[in-house]
Amino acid sequence: MATTEHCLACFEALEAHLYKHKPMSSAPLFVTWNTMEDDEPSLRGCIGTFESQPLSEGIPEYALISALHDTRFSPIRKSELPTLQVAVTLLTDFEEVEDPYDWEIGVHGIRLSFYDRGRRYGSTYLPDVASEQGWTQDETLFSLIRKAGWMGSRSKWKDLELKVTRYQGKRTTLEYNDYKKWRESIDN
């Protein structure tokens, strides 16, 4: 059965040929699940990888991992399907930065790592997280440090030697009801 994705692949192949660039067939990626209440997303799962994945394999794999195995949440249930929104973020333009503040809210995701008392810590936020939360750079960095599991004194976090990598992301979202409409159109 032919699908919209097959047509998209045709345009992607032709455009890549005409503009002399390679279509994106693999990338580091994250899949985010939200429940939608009054048009407001509420995080339900988000897991991805910084290792480039073939998109045809990585997207379905991380769709299930983030829906069923994000330890911050119980697995998504059938009854939640009508409320779900999915977002796929393909990560690009990784740059290590010397200054932990050398990134822009709403433009860059940040990945940080650091050592404290012989233990390594690390965490990331995708490019949209800080702006969606309304955080400053300080609030974002402190939240990331806590997300990494560091439980030191709030007054001491700026003493940590943070290794920061900024990156960008190409993000697309789709709600379950839009998926159902598409599915019904190709099943008929």
Side-chain angles (χ1 to χ4, degrees):
M1 155 181 348
T3 68
T4 300
E5 283 75 21
H6 296 126
C7 294
L8 293 171
C10 292
F11 276 114
E12 184 174 39
L14 180 58
E15 186 178 76
H17 173 77
L18 294 173
Y19 287 100
K20 309 281 189 244
H21 65 78
K22 293 172 76 171
M24 187 178 276
S25 61
S26 66
L29 62 95
F30 274 73
V31 176
T32 305
W33 292 101
N34 294 307
T35 53
M36 298 299 291
E37 297 168 20
D38 299 323
D39 290 330
E40 288 295 318
S42 179
L43 184 63
R44 193 61 183 79
C46 181
I47 296 180
T49 179
F50 287 99
E51 292 183 30
S52 189
Q53 302 285 307
L55 299 181
S56 62
E57 297 169 17
I59 290 174
E61 178 181 358
Y62 281 92
L64 293 177
I65 291 170
S66 63
L68 305 174
H69 302 291
D70 187 328
T71 58
R72 299 171 293 177
F73 305 96
S74 60
I76 291 175
R77 300 175 314 276
K78 285 182 196 176
S79 62
E80 293 177 272
L81 280 172
T83 68
L84 288 179
Q85 174 197 69
V86 66
V88 175
T89 306
L90 304 181
L91 309 181
T92 63
D93 304 311
F94 291 87
E95 301 172 288
E96 285 189 30
V97 295
E98 296 296 320
D99 179 353
Y101 294 92
D102 187 6
W103 55 277
E104 206 175 317
I105 291 175
V107 174
H108 297 106
I110 54 173
R111 180 182 187 184
L112 63 79
S113 62
F114 60 96
Y115 287 89
D116 188 45
R117 296 184 204 130
R119 180 176 168 205
R120 183 191 177 281
Y121 296 85
S123 58
T124 193
Y125 280 140
L126 296 174
D128 54 312
V129 172
S131 60
E132 285 178 359
Q133 297 300 318
W135 290 336
T136 64
Q137 286 186 315
D138 272 341
E139 290 168 326
T140 303
L141 290 169
F142 182 70
S143 178
L144 266 175
I145 289 166
R146 286 290 196 235
K147 181 182 178 188
W150 186 78
M151 298 307 293
S153 167
R154 186 179 188 103
S155 64
K156 301 285 187 198
W157 77 268
K158 289 189 177 181
D159 297 336
L160 298 169
E161 289 187 36
L162 302 178
K163 178 182 174 187
V164 176
T165 301
R166 69 182 186 190
Y167 57 89
Q168 295 182 42
K170 295 171 178 30
R171 182 176 191 249
T172 300
T173 63
L174 184 72
E175 292 187 22
Y176 183 72
N177 63 345
D178 294 323
Y179 160 76
K180 286 298 285 181
K181 288 176 192 170
W182 170 79
R183 185 83 242 168
E184 289 167 8
S185 74
I186 64 168
D187 286 344
N188 292 330

